Structure formats: C-alpha cells, structure tokens
Amino acid sequence: MAITLGPNQYGKAEVRLVTVDRSGPVHHVKDLTVSTSLRGELAATHLTGDNSVVVATDTQKNTVYAFAKQTPPGEIEDFALRLGRHFVDAFSHIDQARILIDEHGWDRIPVDGKPHDHAFSRSGDEKRTTAVTVADGRAWVVSGLRDLVVLKSTGSEFHGFPRDRYTTLAETDDRILATAVTARWRYQGEDIDWHKSFHEIRRIMLETFANLHSLSLQQTLYAMGEAVLKQRREVAEVRLSLPNKHHFLVDLSPFGLTNDNEVFYAADRPYGLIEGTVLRDDAEDAGLAWYSLPEF
Ligand SMILES: O=c1[nH]c(=O)c2[nH]c(=O)[nH]c2[nH]1
C-alpha cells in the first residue's frame, strides 16, 4: 500500500481589512475580508516538516495590509489580482494563488438631509465577492454576491408537481417567493470595468426576479442567469444558490377569521435549496476558475 499527498493549499483565512481614504474632507472606507491560498511544491512541509519554502500565513496576512497601504485596494478584483500575482511572482516554488475577497458595504449617514463626510451605517448583510486564481502566467476571475435577500408578495405559483402518499403540500397560484441570493459569475478576460459590471449584473438579476411571473424558483433561477448572459458579454457562466425562504399561510379559522394571503409564518428551516449553473455555449474554457470553490 502506498500513501501519497493529494491536492493541497494553505494560506490565511479571513483577514479583516478596513481602509480609509483620507485624501480629501470626504472620507471613503473599504471594508474587506481577504483570504489567501497558495499552491505549489509543498510536499516537503507535509512529509518531513521542512518549511524552507513555506511562505508563512502570517507573512501572507502582513502582505495584505502592506499592499493596502502602498496602493489603495480599489475594486476587489484588482486588489485580488495584485495580491495573487505578487505571491506567484515573488516565490518560485509557489505556482498558484487563490485570493478570495468579500466586501462589506457602508452607507453614509444622512445628517440634515446630506450624506455625512465620515460617518457610516452598515449597508446590511449583503456582500460583494470575488475569487481570483493566478497560475501559468494568467488569471481567472469569478465574482459574485451573497446574502442578497429578496421577496415578492405575489407573482409566484407552484403547482403541477407529482403527488404520492407523502405529499401534503397544497398547490398554489399565489404565494410569497423569497430567497437570499448567492451568485457567482465567471468572467472571460480581464479588461473589464469591474464596478460597472457588478452593478449591472446585480440590477439585471433583481429586475428579472421582480418581473418574471414565477412558476417555480427553479424557473426564476434559470431566468436570472440567462438574463445576465444575454446582456453581459463579459460573463461566461453564472452559478446561483437560492434557498427557498418559505412563507406559510397561518390558519386563522380557529379565530373565525379568513386569511386572504395576508398573514404568514416566515419559516427559518428547513428550506428548499435550489442550485444551478447557466452557461453560454461559446464561452472560454473555465480553466482553474472554479478549482476548490464550492460547486454553487
Ligand atoms: O419553487 C419551488 N420549487 C420546488 O422544488 C419546491 N418544492 C416545494 O415544496 N416548494 C417548492 N417551490
């Protein structure tokens, strides 16, 4: 029997970085969670404890902070590309770097109807994300968002599903549809206005969720991905993970009351989990874009 080392990577997870741009009286804050992972000739440390090629995870963390000081991070994709290229270029035994960044939003606090210069409130749970892989002299960028919570109070039906002895769910032609969108999209190319592209893709997904009269969350998922691919040439593929945040009608009959789709119990769990990939057939090869990322 032989035992060998399989795929491996290592790095610093969830470096919390906040930068303040103080170049003018109006400050700009950037709030990021950065994770670095390096891959390469790392057998020695696993097999014998020889650390001569191990760039310490502490060094990786320090690099994130030092880079943020030397050049303002800017768009998360650009910051991730800079960091990934640095690790691959600076250390000959490191041949791949994967940088994950989540961006947390801050809104300016309105004071006397005007956005404040340097006081902010957290925008909510939603995060903008990127996963950049640098290897073989090139890079792959998969960006996205998480925890974008949306609800429509009508315009959603669910019926026509098979019934067996375990089926109790009533068919409905009018229900609440709610989900927390996790989306990742794979870019082709790097010459992209990351900021504009993110906001356009987010807008397209939200408008599709709102406008489509839904017969299932699966149908909504496909329509959201399809709309992005039709309108954004820079996107090769969209992956969506949509928990179905069930809202159950409360039975008010014990109180002699009707419930005309007005009073709901928002269930926490279990939830349906609808996941899928929408692709264009003329897309560039995915290469290492999704390597070691969750499937959805
Ligand atoms: O949109 C839905 N898709 C399902 O697969 C499903 N299953 C279920 O119980 N409710 C729903 N709703």
Side-chain angles (χ1 to χ4, degrees):
M1 184 189 70
I3 295 173
T4 57
L5 176 69
N8 62 87
Q9 59 182 11
Y10 80 105
K12 194 66 103 188
E14 302 192 24
V15 177
R16 294 287 294 115
L17 164 68
V18 176
T19 63
V20 181
D21 174 347
R22 309 173 61 98
S23 53
V26 179
H27 286 183
H28 298 270
V29 295
K30 209 139 202 101
D31 184 338
L32 307 179
T33 300
V34 182
S35 299
T36 59
S37 293
L38 307 184
R39 306 173 196 138
E41 295 159 31
L42 294 160
T45 184
H46 291 93
L47 302 184
T48 69
D50 171 359
N51 296 327
S52 53
V53 299
V54 179
V55 183
T57 69
D58 192 63
T59 306
Q60 296 179 39
K61 174 204 69 184
N62 292 343
T63 307
V64 171
Y65 289 126
F67 268 47
K69 166 65 186 173
Q70 285 160 4
T71 310
E75 297 301 310
I76 53 176
E77 289 83 359
D78 289 325
F79 191 46
L81 285 162
R82 279 203 294 279
L83 284 165
R85 290 199 169 111
H86 163 75
F87 290 120
V88 169
D89 292 348
F91 301 99
S92 59
H93 46 274
I94 298 299
D95 35 61
Q96 297 184 11
R98 153 72 51 79
I99 312 296
L100 305 178
I101 303 183
D102 288 356
E103 178 166 7
H104 317 273
W106 290 95
D107 299 322
R108 290 182 191 283
I109 295 177
V111 176
D112 298 331
K114 273 186 18 209
H116 199 273
D117 285 356
H118 57 264
F120 304 84
S121 63
R122 212 353 118 67
S123 314
D125 288 340
E126 185 184 341
K127 268 82 71 183
R128 176 176 163 186
T129 65
T130 196
V132 168
T133 307
V134 175
D136 306 327
R138 57 160 299 183
W140 293 266
V141 180
V142 174
S143 291
L145 54 78
R146 268 212 322 277
D147 300 324
L148 169 58
V149 181
V150 290
L151 175 150
K152 54 196 290 183
S153 53
T154 190
S156 166
E157 312 183 20
F158 188 64
H159 46 74
F161 48 87
R163 305 200 77 87
D164 70 4
R165 57 196 288 228
Y166 304 116
T167 306
T168 58
L169 185 70
E171 306 216 338
T172 176
D173 60 7
D174 191 359
R175 65 173 183 173
I176 285 182
L177 186 64
T179 187
V181 179
T182 296
R184 290 182 193 269
W185 48 88
R186 171 165 67 90
Y187 282 113
Q188 29 196 14
E190 276 177 53
D191 188 19
I192 289 165
D193 179 341
W194 306 114
H195 179 86
K196 177 164 182 227
S197 180
F198 172 82
H199 289 284
E200 284 297 298
I201 291 166
R202 183 178 184 279
R203 178 188 62 75
I204 292 164
M205 290 196 302
L206 285 174
E207 286 184 6
T208 306
F209 176 83
N211 285 339
L212 183 79
H213 185 98
S214 174
L215 299 177
S216 67
L217 188 50
Q218 288 89 332
Q219 183 199 23
T220 296
L221 180 151
Y222 183 79
M224 288 168 70
E226 182 188 39
V228 170
L229 291 173
K230 279 192 170 153
Q231 295 177 57
R232 305 302 307 179
R233 282 300 312 173
E234 71 273 26
V235 177
E237 177 181 350
V238 182
R239 296 187 178 188
L240 288 155
S241 177
L242 302 179
N244 192 353
K245 295 168 93 57
H246 302 302
H247 288 68
F248 296 115
L249 266 187
V250 178
D251 179 8
L252 299 175
S253 62
F255 323 119
L257 298 170
T258 58
N259 188 350
D260 304 313
N261 256 349
E262 291 166 307
V263 180
F264 296 86
Y265 165 62
D268 169 29
R269 64 190 77 171
Y271 49 90
L273 185 57
I274 312 301
E275 302 184 296
T277 302
V278 190
L279 314 125
R280 66 166 84 248
D281 60 6
D282 60 349
E284 264 176 24
D285 188 73
L288 291 172
W290 300 103
Y291 180 76
S292 93
L293 286 176
E295 193 173 353
F296 295 104

